Amino acid sequence: MSTARLEDRPAPGRVGDVRKQNLALVLRNVQPGVQTTRAQLAVETGLTKASVSSLVADLLGAGLLTEVGITRDGERGRPGVGLALNPLRGALGAEVNVDYLGVGVVDLNGNLRFQETVERHNSGSSPEDVLRALRLLTRRAADAASDAGILLLGGGLAVPGLVDADRNYVATAPNLGWTGVELSGELEALLPHSPFGVTLSNEANSAALAELWYGQGASFQAYLYISGEVGVGGGLIIDSRLFTGPAGHAGEIGHTVVQPKGPKCTCGGHGCLETFAGQEAIFSASDIGDGPTGQRMAQLLAALAEGDSRALAAVEEAGYYLGVATATTARLMNVAAVVLGGHFSLLEEWIRPALQQSVDGFAPGVVAPDAVAFSDLRQTAALMGAAGSSLRRALANPQELVP
């Protein structure tokens, strides 16, 4: 009677499907930055050692794994050859925001190997003009990756708006002035001929995932991510997965109404969180004049450090309304943690007290002080999340790379 394990027995006619699943299974058990061995993978996956050896050979050939030296599984037995995710495979991350363009290269171990951000006034510019400028940056990123010996498997583009990723379609991005924009050709041109192409995502959703994979969100299984830029975006992580709702637009906290009689918002409504906590709202309330965003933020931080009353009041008001929106979302979605990125992380010292006081007042005991985190990724979060999503597509579909 055969002693082969059930998981090693493919159903008739489905050998390819089983091998595809097993290739991905092996990869799921290789953690970024951590060495393992074939013997360890056999134990962790439940596959036979012979099957694991064959699968690893394919993954080495695909360039997703690399051999890294000699390791020991224990005190007895022969040493094994170490295995790790290949740092010479990566993905491109790109972001279009209202006042800047950003690109980066993230390798399979989650390391940001290259990053560039350029201030650019994109609001009101045509998508063609913006993507043309972005292509110059992505070419530099691709060249930097090539110089470092990194093969780019694919990429992702994050934009601040409601998107349909399946159609490469931006339904609306109010702060950019885009409505009904189809980007298939532009996405392909960002990284031509890459195995997994370039996909479109919402900026805040990508940043929320970056926090889960590479940042503060790793401490929480469920949290609300709030992105502070010219506007305010949001993403929801539930059970360590991005929750986007039926149409993919859940988490748009920036357009949660926090003051019904408040100012008009770019979305057409009134009193949205964005009108109190967005960059422009804080700059205006602080009496910070026009100019490049980086310069204006430096002026705001200097004013706060000097104890300027208008700047302090503006940031305190932003924190108060952030607390209103956070308390409402925390109760509605049953999340007990929040991670704040973008300009909120720069303003942590001054905005945290008002935020926490507001949350405690509207939702006592729901979000504890140690469950309020501020991002260390800052302006790289969205592009790292976009790149990370591309890498996970590659790891879930390794058969596409097997020679």
Side-chain angles (χ1 to χ4, degrees):
M1 181 175 177
S2 173
T3 59
R5 302 183 187 189
L6 290 177
E7 60 268 29
D8 289 338
R9 297 180 192 164
R14 303 195 61 179
V15 174
D17 288 344
V18 172
R19 191 161 187 82
K20 169 185 173 181
Q21 294 166 7
N22 287 340
L23 285 166
L25 176 62
V26 168
L27 283 175
R28 284 200 300 273
N29 283 275
V30 183
Q31 301 304 312
V34 178
Q35 293 186 28
T36 188
T37 64
R38 291 166 176 80
Q40 288 172 326
L41 289 171
V43 171
E44 291 164 1
T45 62
L47 299 171
T48 64
K49 291 183 179 180
S51 292
V52 168
S53 292
S54 175
L55 294 165
V56 165
D58 280 351
L59 294 171
L60 289 169
L64 295 172
L65 292 181
T66 186
E67 293 183 324
V68 291
I70 303 298
T71 66
R72 286 191 177 276
D73 297 325
E75 295 184 1
R76 297 184 178 181
R78 292 183 301 173
V81 177
L83 298 168
L85 294 175
N86 189 354
L88 297 181
R89 295 295 182 272
L92 173 79
E95 179 185 5
V96 170
N97 219 303
V98 178
D99 53 2
Y100 68 85
L101 299 173
V103 295
V105 172
V106 179
D107 69 25
L108 279 177
N109 289 301
N111 299 309
L112 183 61
R113 304 286 292 272
F114 172 86
Q115 189 261 330
E116 182 178 5
T117 300
V118 175
E119 287 201 8
R120 186 181 192 276
H121 186 69
N122 296 315
S123 181
S125 294
S126 70
E128 293 78 14
D129 285 344
V130 173
L131 271 294
R132 188 179 302 114
L134 183 63
R135 281 198 296 274
L136 297 177
L137 298 186
T138 59
R139 286 172 191 158
R140 288 206 287 267
D143 288 344
S146 178
D147 291 344
I150 299 171
L151 176 66
L152 296 177
L153 303 176
L157 170 63
V159 300
L162 302 181
V163 306
D164 181 340
D166 293 333
R167 297 168 55 202
N168 296 323
Y169 182 78
V170 180
T172 177
N175 290 319
L176 288 175
W178 294 2
T179 302
V181 178
E182 202 275 334
L183 292 175
S184 293
E186 285 80 1
L187 292 177
E188 184 178 353
L190 290 179
L191 197 63
H193 314 304
S194 60
F196 290 93
V198 178
T199 58
L200 184 66
S201 64
N202 169 266
E203 165 264 334
N205 284 343
S206 284
L209 287 170
E211 292 297 336
L212 175 66
W213 298 328
Y214 312 123
Q216 299 288 344
S219 302
F220 312 115
Q221 288 188 329
Y223 60 91
L224 166 66
Y225 174 80
I226 306 178
S227 168
E229 303 289 348
V230 170
V232 175
L236 282 165
I237 300 294
I238 307 293
D239 291 333
S240 298
R241 296 170 65 95
L242 180 67
F243 176 78
T244 59
H249 303 155
E252 283 291 318
I253 195 170
H255 298 288
T256 298
V257 177
V258 294
Q259 176 52 268
K261 295 183 180 180
K264 189 170 183 178
C265 181
T266 56
C267 72
H270 287 266
C272 297
L273 174 62
E274 186 172 293
T275 65
F276 296 100
Q279 266 180 16
E280 289 302 320
I282 295 175
F283 288 152
S284 178
S286 302
D287 199 26
I288 302 293
D290 295 334
T293 300
Q295 177 182 315
R296 298 170 80 192
M297 182 57 68
Q299 292 174 13
L300 174 63
L301 292 172
L304 291 167
E306 293 168 2
D308 180 85
S309 59
R310 290 196 64 171
L312 291 169
V315 172
E316 182 177 349
E317 181 177 62
Y320 169 81
Y321 285 113
L322 275 170
V324 173
T326 298
T328 301
T329 306
R331 287 195 184 279
L332 183 65
M333 299 305 299
N334 191 30
V335 295
V338 59
V339 179
L340 296 102
H343 68 254
F344 298 132
S345 61
L346 296 174
L347 300 174
E348 177 183 358
E349 178 182 344
W350 300 277
I351 208 168
R352 179 190 281 275
L355 166 64
Q356 191 66 55
Q357 183 178 7
S358 180
V359 169
D360 290 345
F362 292 108
V366 174
V367 182
D370 61 359
V372 177
F374 287 79
S375 175
D376 294 325
L377 301 179
R378 297 186 178 175
Q379 214 170 45
T380 68
L383 66 86
M384 287 189 71
S389 293
S390 180
L391 293 175
R392 278 156 178 77
R393 285 195 301 277
L395 293 174
N397 298 279
Q399 75 285 349
E400 299 293 333
L401 300 171
V402 172

